[in-house]
Amino acid sequence: MRYLLVEDNDQLANAVLDRLTLDGHVVDRAPDLGTADDFMATTEYDMILLDIMLPDGDGRQFLQAHRAAQRDTPVIVLTARSEVSDRVSVLDLGADDYIVKPFDFSELEARCRAVQRRRSGGASNIHSFGDVVFDPLACTLTVNGREVRLRNRELRLFEIFIAAPDQVFSKSKLVDRLFSYDVDASENAIEVYVGRLRKHLEGARAQIVTVRGLGYRLSLS
C-alpha cells in the first residue's frame, strides 16, 4: 500500500517509515499539514496515518476537511491522548481508527489491515481470483496448488492488481503507487516487475494483460 504519514516527531516518523518500508509499502512523510495538503493534491493514497498536534495546526482540522471534500481514503489517527472523549471526537470526525502513543508497530500494522478489510467488506486478508490465491501476510501466491514466494515489490504490485481485478492501471499510475517521491523510478521498472509476475502466473487462468496504449489489468483468460 501507499501510505501518507503525517507526523512531526522525527524519531517516531522514521521508525514507522522504516517498519512499513521494510514490509514493502511505500510511505510519504509529511511533517506538517501544509506538506500533507501538497501530497494529497497530487497523489492517491491507500492509508493516512495522522498525528493530531502538528506545528501548523490540529490534525483534526485536516481530517474534517478530508471528509468534507468527500475523500474516502482510510485514516488512522495517532494520538497521545487516551481520554475516551478525545478518541470519540476523532471517530466522529471520520477517522476509521485510532492508536494511542506509544504503540507497538505490530499493533499499528494489524489495525491498518483491519481497516482495509472493513473497507473492502472482507473478513480475511487472503484474496482469491480464478485459480490463484494471494496471501499478502505470508508473501505467497498459490497458482494451481503451486506456492510462489514473492519479493516485496512483486508482492505490492500484485496486491494492487488483485484488489481491483479487470481495472486498467497505467504504468505511470503503478509507478506512483509503488515508489515514494524520493525514489527515482521509471516506467521500465514496472515492465520488469510485470514480467516477473507473469512468469509466476504461468499456467494460471489469471493473467496480467497488456491493454495497448493504456496499461495493464488482471483478468481471467
Side-chain angles (χ1 to χ4, degrees):
M1 298 195 297
R2 184 159 192 163
Y3 287 81
L4 175 59
L5 171 62
V6 189
E7 171 61 63
D8 65 321
N9 183 294
D10 290 335
Q11 184 176 2
L12 175 60
N14 290 334
V16 172
L17 193 153
D18 288 346
R19 178 63 176 259
L20 293 176
T21 302
L22 184 64
D23 287 341
H25 300 290
V26 176
V27 185
D28 293 318
R29 185 256 178 134
D32 51 54
L33 295 177
T35 306
D37 285 332
D38 290 341
F39 279 135
M40 289 294 296
T42 59
T43 306
E44 179 182 338
Y45 291 96
D46 300 298
M47 182 77 68
I48 299 171
L49 303 178
L50 176 65
D51 188 21
I52 293 297
M53 303 301 293
L54 293 157
D56 56 349
D58 192 316
R60 287 170 292 195
Q61 298 170 347
F62 176 90
L63 174 60
Q64 193 168 22
H66 180 72
R67 294 303 184 221
Q70 302 299 309
R71 293 172 175 162
D72 62 355
T73 309
V75 177
I76 296 180
V77 170
L78 314 178
T79 178
R81 300 176 176 179
S82 58
E83 292 80 4
V84 172
S85 59
D86 292 316
R87 302 198 300 264
V88 169
S89 69
V90 297
L91 293 173
D92 284 342
L93 285 173
D96 293 85
D97 202 353
Y98 63 85
I99 187 167
V100 178
K101 302 176 185 177
F103 51 79
D104 187 89
F105 292 115
S106 60
E107 180 185 359
L108 176 62
E109 291 168 325
R111 287 182 179 274
C112 290
R113 292 193 297 268
V115 167
Q116 285 293 335
R117 286 198 303 272
R118 292 199 299 269
R119 285 291 180 125
S120 64
S124 171
N125 293 298
I126 298 176
H127 303 272
S128 298
F129 184 67
D131 49 359
V132 302
V133 178
F134 175 64
D135 186 343
L137 296 185
C139 304
T140 58
L141 177 66
T142 303
V143 181
N144 292 323
R146 173 176 56 90
E147 187 175 284
V148 178
R149 296 285 298 182
L150 298 179
R151 298 178 180 177
N152 271 345
R153 288 219 165 95
E154 296 171 356
L155 175 77
R156 299 310 167 196
L157 180 57
F158 195 74
E159 192 169 30
I160 293 169
F161 283 124
I162 202 167
D166 293 316
Q167 179 176 327
V168 177
F169 293 92
S170 66
K171 291 181 183 178
S172 61
K173 183 73 169 179
L174 293 172
V175 167
D176 183 63
R177 295 289 298 276
L178 280 181
F179 300 96
S180 59
Y181 281 108
D182 58 354
V183 176
D184 184 18
S186 70
E187 294 183 0
N188 290 336
I190 298 300
E191 295 179 7
V192 171
Y193 291 119
V194 166
R196 292 178 182 174
L197 287 177
R198 282 174 167 165
K199 288 183 179 179
H200 294 322
L201 291 170
E202 286 180 356
R205 290 180 57 225
Q207 293 291 318
I208 299 174
V209 178
T210 299
V211 182
R212 187 177 298 275
L214 295 177
Y216 305 102
R217 69 182 178 197
L218 180 67
S219 300
L220 295 178
S221 60

